[in-house]
Amino acid sequence: MNLDSLSNRGVRAAGTPLRIDYDAFMEAEEDRYHPEDNPSGKLPLNIAENRLSWHELREKIEEITRGTSIPDWVPGYTSTRGAPEFREAAAHFLARHLTDCAIDPERLGVSAGATSVIETTCFALADAGDVAVIPAPCYPVYRQDMGNVPGVERFDLVTHHEPQEIARGPVLDVEHLEGALGEIEAAGKRFRMLVVTSPDNPTGGIHRIERLRRLAGWCIDHGIHMVLNEIYGLSLLDTDHPDIRMDYEGAVPFTSFAQVMADLDSDYLHLWYALSKDLGISGFRVGFLYSLNEALLQAYENFNLPHSISNHTQWLLGKLLTDDHFMDGYVARNQERLTGSYARVVRHLKRLDLPYVPARGSLFVWSDFSELMDGASEEAELGLWKAIFREAGVLLTPGVGFGHTKHGIFRIVHPCVEAEELEVAMKRLGRFVRGARGA
């Protein structure tokens, strides 16, 4: 590979994998498990996709495309912040299903997927070299989403070491932010953004709204932008399910940060959302910024042309999102399927006596395999991860890149395969664990 023809940026990109498990995922896809055609094939449980409800959405989308004429605005140019018709539909959907408060469509920006929303927001709010603080563990590819173009640096804020410390939920509080601020300023840098995901990736924890309100007040006082990523806001679990209810002490309802934004009315508070996880349509590439900051929205509109969504996609999904009868039922049925999928994984982990963080939402189980490692290092973690893939044919997401201090914790994506495949994967994991223990 000749790198001399590239810019310095191009050289860095060519030599930096998007994520550490990407090549393994492609290998798994080429040797995918099939109960009859390839029973010894691979089972990838590492990509954050929900495939449990696509059959239902597909039928509805096909119904829309068969029975509805395409309007005249679709083939032409429209607002680079998103077609007004689609922003109205999205605002209706968000207010009804996610935020439980009014959403002004004029305060929405629409881009081609969550990655575009993150990149464009960071580009408009921060300068190269500024710092975004993210509580660890957290989604590894934030580093590229924020850094590749905007040049924003990621600061992993560690609030705990052992998974059981967050068994009751995330513990991020103002004291943690004070410590991060001191460390960042001592390095001569600017703490520009706080990014929080709720429900969380990878732990599935929900940040309590009272604590988010405290954090928001602190950020406003310090001139720091606070962004809530609620991309899993409708991927909630029924914690009263008989197989998992003993894991929880009391209810922690999901409450959207949009309600804090409405109360505090600040230029420093923002919300990210996308349809990729809750609707399981990552390939449609639809993400949203919601902000009350008029200057940010204007900058976003001017930057967003390369990230615009196809008008046909906006029209089609606008029809879907405003079908209240269908969407009400879909959200409920999808949460039921997610709960069943999550419970299946947890049942196996309990039998294996493997620790995990009780999730209240998201698509994940964050589980501790560290007892099986030879030493407590990144090298040992990757060695165990590769062994599980090589010997069991199950691909998990390693903890490397999530910014956490403890090695040997892996992310299991439970709804990215059907129930029968998930059962096969968990049985394979069980055999591997018992073999590693010498049982």
Side-chain angles (χ1 to χ4, degrees), residues 252-266:
V252 181
F254 171 80
T255 304
S256 175
F257 191 63
Q259 297 189 23
V260 176
M261 294 171 61
D263 292 342
L264 299 184
D265 190 17
S266 170

Side-chain angles (χ1 to χ4, degrees), residues 379-421:
E379 181 181 5
E381 177 180 294
L382 290 176
L384 175 60
W385 170 65
K386 292 174 183 176
I388 292 172
F389 183 47
R390 183 175 61 252
E391 298 174 28
V394 179
L395 181 60
L396 307 179
T397 314
V400 173
F402 283 85
H404 196 45
T405 52
K406 182 167 184 177
H407 296 293
I409 309 180
F410 297 154
R411 189 186 73 172
I412 304 171
V413 185
H414 57 85
C416 64
V417 295
E418 296 294 336
E420 296 78 7
E421 294 178 305

Side-chain angles (χ1 to χ4, degrees), residues 18 27 34 65 68 131 155 165 174 192 206 210 214 281 289 293 312 325 343 383 387 401 407 426:
L18 180 63
E27 178 185 340
H34 186 277
T65 55
T68 313
V131 176
F155 180 99
E165 296 178 59
V174 166
R192 187 59 173 166
I206 290 176
E210 301 85 0
R214 287 201 302 273
I281 52 172
L289 163 70
N293 186 325
H312 185 268
H325 176 73
H407 296 293
M426 293 310 297

